[in-house]
Amino acid sequence: QYSLVRDVVSALKRHRMHEQQFLHPPLLVLGNFGARARMELRLMAGMFQGMFPALNVHRVNLNSIRRCLLISYDADSQLLELRHYSVQVVPVGLSRGLRKILREKFPNLGRMDDVSQLL
């Protein structure tokens, strides 16, 4: 079973698909592909790992990771489940006005006397 991209986008309230997401490879997460698994599972895991370049966790820029691909194997039904997530970095612990500035959206200063009221 599968879903078309246009069906997924039409079902979302706010979709966030832009070209910059696809400039860098996704973070690949393999679930239930154990080291002591059968030969077929190890072959599938190696195939999925070979589809995307390896990420060095010590040198990777966290701002460049925009997608996550989760591939999970269900041993009971012998099916693979693929999920593709969009990752967004969101500032936490900041005032609402400062968050708007960091998102590059210019806030409405018409109701304020000074910029300090925004911050």
Coordinates of all heavy atoms in Angstrom, one line a residue, residues 58-94:
H58 N 29.8 13.4 14.7 CA 30.7 14.4 15.3 C 30.9 15.6 14.5 O 31.2 16.7 15.0 CB 32.0 13.8 15.7 CG 31.9 12.6 16.6 ND1 31.5 12.8 17.9 CD2 32.1 11.3 16.4 CE1 31.5 11.6 18.5 NE2 31.8 10.7 17.7
R59 N 30.7 15.5 13.2 CA 30.9 16.6 12.3 C 29.7 17.2 11.5 O 29.8 18.2 10.9 CB 31.9 16.2 11.2 CG 33.3 15.9 11.8 CD 34.3 15.6 10.7 NE 35.6 15.3 11.2 CZ 36.6 14.8 10.5 NH1 36.4 14.5 9.3 NH2 37.7 14.5 11.1
V60 N 28.6 16.5 11.7 CA 27.4 16.9 10.9 C 26.8 18.2 11.5 O 26.9 18.4 12.7 CB 26.3 15.8 11.0 CG1 25.7 15.6 12.3 CG2 25.2 16.1 9.9
N61 N 26.4 19.1 10.6 CA 25.8 20.3 11.0 C 24.3 20.0 11.3 O 23.6 19.6 10.3 CB 25.9 21.4 9.9 CG 25.4 22.7 10.3 OD1 24.9 22.9 11.4 ND2 25.4 23.6 9.4
L62 N 23.8 20.2 12.5 CA 22.4 19.9 12.8 C 21.4 20.7 12.0 O 20.3 20.3 11.8 CB 22.2 20.0 14.3 CG 22.9 19.0 15.2 CD1 22.6 19.3 16.7 CD2 22.6 17.6 14.8
N63 N 21.8 21.9 11.6 CA 20.9 22.7 10.8 C 20.7 22.2 9.4 O 19.8 22.6 8.7 CB 21.4 24.2 10.8 CG 21.3 24.8 12.1 OD1 20.4 24.5 12.9 ND2 22.1 25.7 12.4
S64 N 21.6 21.3 8.9 CA 21.5 20.8 7.6 C 20.6 19.6 7.5 O 20.2 19.1 6.5 CB 22.9 20.4 7.0 OG 23.4 19.3 7.8
I65 N 20.2 19.0 8.7 CA 19.3 17.8 8.7 C 17.9 18.3 8.7 O 17.4 19.0 9.6 CB 19.6 17.0 10.0 CG1 21.0 16.4 9.9 CG2 18.5 15.8 10.0 CD1 21.3 15.6 11.1
R66 N 17.2 18.1 7.5 CA 15.9 18.6 7.4 C 14.9 17.5 7.2 O 13.7 17.7 7.2 CB 15.8 19.5 6.1 CG 16.6 20.7 6.1 CD 16.0 21.7 7.1 NE 16.8 22.9 7.1 CZ 16.7 23.8 8.0 NH1 15.9 23.6 9.0 NH2 17.4 24.9 8.0
R67 N 15.4 16.3 7.1 CA 14.4 15.1 6.9 C 15.0 13.9 7.7 O 16.1 13.8 8.0 CB 14.4 14.7 5.4 CG 13.9 15.8 4.5 CD 13.9 15.3 3.1 NE 15.2 15.1 2.6 CZ 15.6 14.1 1.8 NH1 14.7 13.2 1.4 NH2 16.8 13.9 1.3
C68 N 14.0 13.1 8.0 CA 14.3 11.8 8.7 C 13.6 10.7 8.0 O 12.4 10.8 7.8 CB 14.0 11.9 10.2 SG 14.3 10.4 11.1
L69 N 14.2 9.6 7.7 CA 13.6 8.5 7.0 C 13.7 7.3 8.0 O 14.7 6.9 8.4 CB 14.3 8.1 5.7 CG 13.8 6.9 4.9 CD1 12.3 7.2 4.5 CD2 14.6 6.7 3.7
L70 N 12.5 6.9 8.4 CA 12.4 5.8 9.4 C 11.9 4.5 8.6 O 10.9 4.6 8.0 CB 11.4 6.1 10.5 CG 11.0 5.0 11.4 CD1 12.2 4.5 12.3 CD2 9.8 5.4 12.3
I71 N 12.7 3.5 8.7 CA 12.4 2.2 8.0 C 12.3 1.2 9.1 O 13.3 0.9 9.8 CB 13.4 1.8 7.0 CG1 13.5 2.9 5.9 CG2 13.0 0.5 6.3 CD1 14.5 2.7 4.9
S72 N 11.2 0.6 9.4 CA 10.9 -0.3 10.5 C 10.5 -1.7 9.9 O 9.6 -1.7 9.0 CB 9.9 0.2 11.4 OG 9.7 -0.7 12.5
Y73 N 11.0 -2.8 10.4 CA 10.7 -4.1 10.0 C 9.8 -4.8 11.0 O 10.1 -4.8 12.2 CB 11.9 -4.9 9.7 CG 11.6 -6.4 9.3 CD1 11.1 -6.7 8.1 CD2 11.8 -7.4 10.2 CE1 10.8 -8.0 7.7 CE2 11.6 -8.7 9.9 CZ 11.0 -9.0 8.6 OH 10.8 -10.3 8.3
D74 N 8.6 -5.3 10.6 CA 7.8 -6.0 11.5 C 8.0 -7.5 11.3 O 7.6 -8.0 10.2 CB 6.3 -5.6 11.3 CG 5.3 -6.2 12.2 OD1 5.8 -6.8 13.3 OD2 4.1 -6.2 12.0
A75 N 8.5 -8.2 12.2 CA 8.9 -9.6 12.1 C 7.6 -10.5 12.0 O 7.6 -11.5 11.3 CB 9.7 -10.1 13.2
D76 N 6.5 -10.1 12.6 CA 5.3 -10.9 12.6 C 4.7 -11.0 11.2 O 4.4 -12.0 10.7 CB 4.3 -10.4 13.7 CG 4.8 -10.6 15.1 OD1 5.7 -11.5 15.3 OD2 4.4 -9.8 15.9
S77 N 4.5 -9.8 10.7 CA 3.9 -9.7 9.3 C 4.9 -9.7 8.2 O 4.5 -9.8 7.0 CB 3.0 -8.5 9.2 OG 3.8 -7.3 9.3
Q78 N 6.2 -9.6 8.5 CA 7.3 -9.6 7.5 C 7.1 -8.4 6.5 O 7.3 -8.6 5.3 CB 7.4 -10.9 6.8 CG 7.8 -12.0 7.7 CD 8.1 -13.3 7.0 OE1 7.8 -13.5 5.8 NE2 8.7 -14.3 7.7
L79 N 6.7 -7.3 7.0 CA 6.5 -6.1 6.2 C 7.4 -5.0 6.7 O 7.8 -4.9 7.8 CB 5.0 -5.6 6.3 CG 4.0 -6.5 5.7 CD1 2.6 -5.9 6.0 CD2 4.2 -6.7 4.2
L80 N 7.8 -4.1 5.7 CA 8.5 -2.9 6.0 C 7.6 -1.7 6.1 O 6.7 -1.6 5.3 CB 9.6 -2.7 4.9 CG 10.7 -3.6 4.8 CD1 11.6 -3.3 3.6 CD2 11.6 -3.5 6.1
E81 N 7.9 -0.9 7.0 CA 7.1 0.4 7.2 C 8.1 1.5 7.0 O 9.1 1.7 7.7 CB 6.5 0.5 8.6 CG 5.6 1.7 8.7 CD 4.9 1.7 10.1 OE1 4.6 0.6 10.6 OE2 4.6 2.8 10.6
L82 N 7.8 2.4 6.0 CA 8.6 3.5 5.7 C 7.8 4.8 6.1 O 6.7 5.0 5.7 CB 8.9 3.6 4.2 CG 10.0 2.6 3.7 CD1 9.4 1.3 3.4 CD2 10.7 3.3 2.5
R83 N 8.5 5.6 6.8 CA 8.0 6.9 7.2 C 9.0 8.0 6.9 O 10.2 7.9 7.2 CB 7.5 7.0 8.6 CG 6.4 6.0 8.9 CD 5.8 6.2 10.2 NE 4.7 5.4 10.4 CZ 3.5 5.8 10.8 NH1 3.3 7.1 11.0 NH2 2.5 5.0 10.9
H84 N 8.6 9.1 6.3 CA 9.4 10.2 5.9 C 9.0 11.4 6.6 O 7.9 11.9 6.4 CB 9.3 10.4 4.4 CG 10.4 11.2 3.8 ND1 10.3 11.9 2.6 CD2 11.6 11.6 4.3 CE1 11.3 12.6 2.4 NE2 12.2 12.4 3.3
Y85 N 9.9 11.9 7.5 CA 9.5 13.1 8.3 C 10.3 14.3 7.9 O 11.4 14.2 7.4 CB 9.9 12.8 9.8 CG 9.1 11.7 10.4 CD1 9.6 10.4 10.5 CD2 7.8 11.9 10.9 CE1 8.9 9.4 11.1 CE2 7.1 10.8 11.5 CZ 7.6 9.6 11.6 OH 6.9 8.6 12.1
S86 N 9.6 15.5 8.1 CA 10.3 16.7 7.9 C 10.7 17.3 9.3 O 9.9 17.2 10.2 CB 9.3 17.7 7.2 OG 9.9 19.0 7.1
V87 N 12.0 17.7 9.3 CA 12.5 18.2 10.6 C 12.6 19.7 10.6 O 13.2 20.3 9.6 CB 13.9 17.5 10.9 CG1 14.5 18.1 12.2 CG2 13.7 16.0 10.9
Q88 N 12.2 20.4 11.6 CA 12.3 21.8 11.7 C 12.9 22.2 13.0 O 12.6 21.7 14.1 CB 10.9 22.4 11.6 CG 10.9 23.9 11.6 CD 9.5 24.5 11.6 OE1 8.5 23.8 11.6 NE2 9.4 25.8 11.4
V89 N 13.9 23.1 13.0 CA 14.5 23.6 14.2 C 13.7 24.8 14.7 O 13.5 25.7 13.9 CB 16.0 24.0 13.9 CG1 16.6 24.6 15.1 CG2 16.8 22.9 13.3
V90 N 13.3 24.7 15.9 CA 12.4 25.7 16.5 C 13.1 26.3 17.8 O 13.5 25.5 18.6 CB 11.0 25.2 16.9 CG1 10.2 26.2 17.5 CG2 10.4 24.6 15.7
P91 N 13.3 27.6 17.9 CA 13.9 28.1 19.1 C 12.9 28.0 20.3 O 11.7 28.2 20.2 CB 14.1 29.6 18.8 CG 13.2 29.9 17.6 CD 13.0 28.6 16.9
V92 N 13.5 27.6 21.4 CA 12.7 27.4 22.6 C 13.1 28.3 23.7 O 14.3 28.6 23.9 CB 12.9 25.9 23.1 CG1 12.1 25.6 24.4 CG2 12.4 24.9 22.0
G93 N 12.2 28.8 24.5 CA 12.5 29.6 25.7 C 12.7 31.1 25.3 O 13.3 31.9 26.1
L94 N 12.2 31.5 24.2 CA 12.4 32.9 23.7 C 11.0 33.6 23.7 O 10.0 32.9 23.6 CB 13.0 33.0 22.3 CG 14.4 32.4 22.2 CD1 14.8 32.4 20.7 CD2 15.4 33.1 23.0

